[in-house]
Amino acid sequence: MTDSDQFTPDAEDEAFGINDLFVDEVLEAIENRDSVALDGMLEDVHPADIAHLIEVIDGRRRTELLTLWKGGLDGEVLSELDENLREEVIDSLAPAELVEAVRELDSDDVVDLVEDLGSEQQEAVLGALDAPDRVAVEKALAYPEESAGRHMQVELVRAPTHWNVGEAIDYLRSDDNTLPDQFYHLILVDPRMKAVGYVTLGRILSTRRDVKLLDIAEDSFRTFNVNQDVEEVANAINHYHMITAPVVDDDDRIVGVITIDDAMAFIEEEAEEDLMRLAGVGEGSLSDRVIDTTKQRFPWLAVNLVTAIFASLVISLFEGTLQQSVALAVLMPIVASMGGNAGTQSLTVAVRALATRDLTSSNVWRVIRREALVGLINGAIFAVVMGVIGAVWFGTPMLGVVIAAAMVINLIVAGLAGTMVPVVLEKVGVDPALASGAFVTTVTDVVGFFAFLGLAAMWLL
């Protein structure tokens, strides 16, 4: 089988270049302890695909793979690994192997790896870096964890504002400077090293030599402070369709850049994190150990138990009502379930809108009114359906009226709670993705049970 055959796209098995057949062949080589075959199979595989391979195999085979693979992990593979698994893989590497792996990485990728290491491994990596690179990494680690300064790369290309295109091209082609492996802009700086604009490489290559760089600078130019939240920077890059986001210090001097690939990776990571937190599973992954997964999920199951007990207490208030009508016990879960689903829908939209800065104080009340109206309309539609079902099923028309009214009430409340709870939590400094689900579920359960059983007590008995 040729390399091209191994990576033929398959709609069912393909996952970014790694298909089931290739994984099986790697596992067979591991079982046979055939390091030569492993080297041949992995030699030309993209780092992201190798990272994916490491993630999909079990822990024992993962350890054997890292032992047998003579090509060894490089820094790009480590940077592509899931964060939780990356720590495990790094722990399995000898200091010399780790140093070799990170030597060629950009400063932002080195920072991403180093911050998860123990002090001994961290010092080994820093000690292997060239003096300027070590200073850059240590300086980045001094910034807050979620700041632009922590996530920027210091490798960039500056050009004075008085240069023309020809001077820039001659500089880029000269042997007197070391250019980053990848860059997209020349950052224009004044004599005080303040960033005043940038020019894309495409514009430089397509413009006459005598044209001033300032005359072809991009309109999208804007700078971001080192202490600014990196999520804000990533969202700005996405919003303004930027390729490079220059990062400046408090004196507006250029100190680094955040590129579009890093920004998109961060946005994807934040979206995935929000999704996992909404489900109450923390930041877990399929590669986590059983004990780690248990620890992540236990607190939220405990919270759910407390809220379920609270909802049960509401039901107990109507014990006498339930004893007089079995139909109420049969239909009661429907009201709560519909409210819970409607609340989750509103909650998911609101949490994502808060994360992307689409939901702000200027439009929050409009969004709340919209969600309430949506709840009213959906509630009215399903109220008619359940009203008819309740009346026909149990032969009591008034029972249909009760469940219809309770359905409308609970879906309106679900829409309100799904939007207002995350907004309030963010205002008080609590991550809305982390805590909103338990509150919204409690509200919809309590209101659903109370409305349905309370109306039944008044109108049926």
Side-chain angles (χ1 to χ4, degrees):
M1 174 178 289
T2 65
D3 288 343
S4 60
D5 292 333
Q6 293 173 357
F7 296 101
T8 301
D10 186 317
E12 294 182 357
D13 299 331
E14 184 82 5
F16 303 110
I18 295 295
N19 54 39
D20 290 345
L21 177 60
F22 181 74
V23 173
D24 289 341
E25 290 177 348
V26 170
L27 293 178
E28 182 180 354
I30 292 174
E31 292 298 327
N32 295 331
R33 305 197 65 78
D34 190 345
S35 60
V36 175
L38 274 178
D39 285 349
M41 284 186 284
L42 300 178
E43 182 178 2
D44 298 322
V45 180
H46 192 279
D49 292 329
I50 294 178
H52 180 73
L53 170 67
I54 293 172
E55 290 170 358
V56 298
I57 63 179
D58 62 67
R60 179 183 64 83
R61 288 166 169 166
R62 186 182 305 133
T63 301
E64 293 178 358
L65 170 63
L66 297 177
T67 303
L68 290 169
W69 183 26
K70 301 303 182 183
L73 289 179
D74 62 20
E76 291 188 34
V77 175
L78 289 176
S79 64
E80 294 285 352
L81 282 172
D82 175 83
E83 186 174 332
N84 296 323
L85 182 57
R86 183 195 304 162
E87 188 173 351
E88 175 189 327
V89 171
I90 287 175
D91 287 340
S92 70
L93 298 177
E97 293 177 304
L98 183 59
V99 167
E100 187 62 30
V102 303
R103 194 186 300 276
E104 300 300 323
L105 287 177
D106 290 333
S107 59
D108 58 326
D109 293 324
V110 176
V111 170
D112 191 35
L113 292 177
V114 167
E115 62 184 357
D116 295 326
L117 300 180
S119 57
E120 182 178 344
Q121 288 181 316
Q122 191 174 91
E123 186 57 37
V125 173
L126 292 176
L129 299 175
D130 295 333
D133 294 334
R134 174 167 183 153
V135 171
V137 171
E138 290 177 336
K139 188 173 182 180
L141 289 171
Y143 291 112
E145 185 174 352
E146 298 300 326
S147 67
R150 173 68 76 93
H151 293 271
M152 69 183 179
Q153 67 177 57
V154 298
E155 296 84 7
L156 54 90
V157 184
R158 303 177 183 86
T161 53
H162 64 268
W163 273 10
N164 59 29
V165 170
E167 290 171 307
I169 292 176
D170 292 340
Y171 171 75
L172 293 174
R173 290 176 175 173
S174 70
D175 297 328
D176 299 332
N177 60 83
T178 302
L179 300 177
D181 290 336
Q182 293 185 5
F183 64 100
Y184 312 100
H185 284 99
L186 261 65
I187 311 295
L188 304 182
V189 295
D190 66 13
R192 295 170 296 176
M193 297 304 292
K194 291 187 176 183
V196 298
Y198 55 33
V199 185
T200 65
L201 295 180
R203 291 293 296 274
I204 291 174
L205 294 175
S206 62
T207 305
R208 298 191 319 272
R209 289 180 61 89
D210 61 340
V211 175
K212 292 290 186 182
L213 292 177
L214 274 177
D215 293 338
I216 57 173
E218 295 291 304
D219 295 335
S220 62
F221 177 77
R222 61 194 66 237
T223 61
F224 302 88
N225 187 271
V226 288
N227 295 308
Q228 195 165 346
D229 191 312
V230 68
E231 186 174 357
E232 294 180 4
V233 180
N235 286 325
I237 290 175
N238 184 46
H239 182 75
Y240 295 110
H241 307 293
M242 302 171 68
I243 300 175
T244 303
V247 180
V248 299
D249 62 16
D250 291 333
D251 295 321
D252 290 331
R253 292 174 298 191
I254 184 74
V255 291
V257 293
I258 294 178
T259 53
I260 187 171
D261 55 332
D262 291 330
M264 295 305 101
F266 187 83
I267 289 176
E268 180 182 358
E269 181 182 322
E270 288 297 301
E272 181 180 309
E273 186 178 294
D274 286 347
L275 178 63
M276 300 290 274
R277 287 179 171 181
L278 278 172
V281 293
E283 300 177 12
S285 69
L286 293 177
S287 58
D288 287 348
R289 296 177 301 172
V290 172
I291 187 64
D292 294 329
T293 302
T294 303
K295 288 179 179 178
Q296 290 168 351
R297 299 183 184 181
F298 179 83
W300 299 108
L301 291 174
V303 170
N304 186 72
L305 176 61
V306 172
T307 58
I309 292 173
F310 187 62
S312 297
L313 290 175
V314 173
I315 297 174
S316 69
L317 298 176
F318 299 93
E319 183 179 353
T321 303
L322 286 169
Q323 288 177 346
Q324 296 182 51
S325 176
V326 176
L328 298 179
V330 173
L331 297 176
M332 181 175 64
I334 297 176
V335 179
S337 176
M338 290 294 291
N341 287 329
T344 299
Q345 290 173 337
S346 297
L347 172 63
T348 303
V349 172
V351 168
R352 191 65 196 133
L354 286 170
T356 58
R357 304 295 189 271
D358 290 331
L359 182 57
T360 64
S361 56
S362 62
N363 66 356
V364 64
W365 290 111
R366 177 175 59 82
V367 174
I368 289 173
R369 287 194 298 271
R370 187 199 69 170
E371 291 299 324
L373 183 59
V374 169
L376 174 61
I377 295 173
N378 279 332
I381 294 172
F382 287 108
V384 172
V385 174
M386 282 308 304
V388 172
I389 291 175
V392 173
W393 191 353
F394 295 99
T396 308
M398 199 60 193
L399 179 60
V401 175
V402 168
I403 193 170
M407 188 83 73
V408 172
I409 293 171
N410 205 22
L411 262 67
I412 293 175
V413 171
L416 291 173
T419 305
M420 294 181 67
V421 167
V423 169
V424 171
L425 289 175
E426 187 184 52
K427 291 293 184 184
V428 299
V430 178
D431 187 347
L434 190 63
S436 297
F439 285 107
V440 172
T441 301
T442 301
V443 169
T444 55
D445 283 352
V446 169
V447 171
F449 292 143
F450 192 85
F452 181 57
L453 297 177
L455 291 174
M458 290 189 297
W459 294 351
L460 290 178
L461 306 177

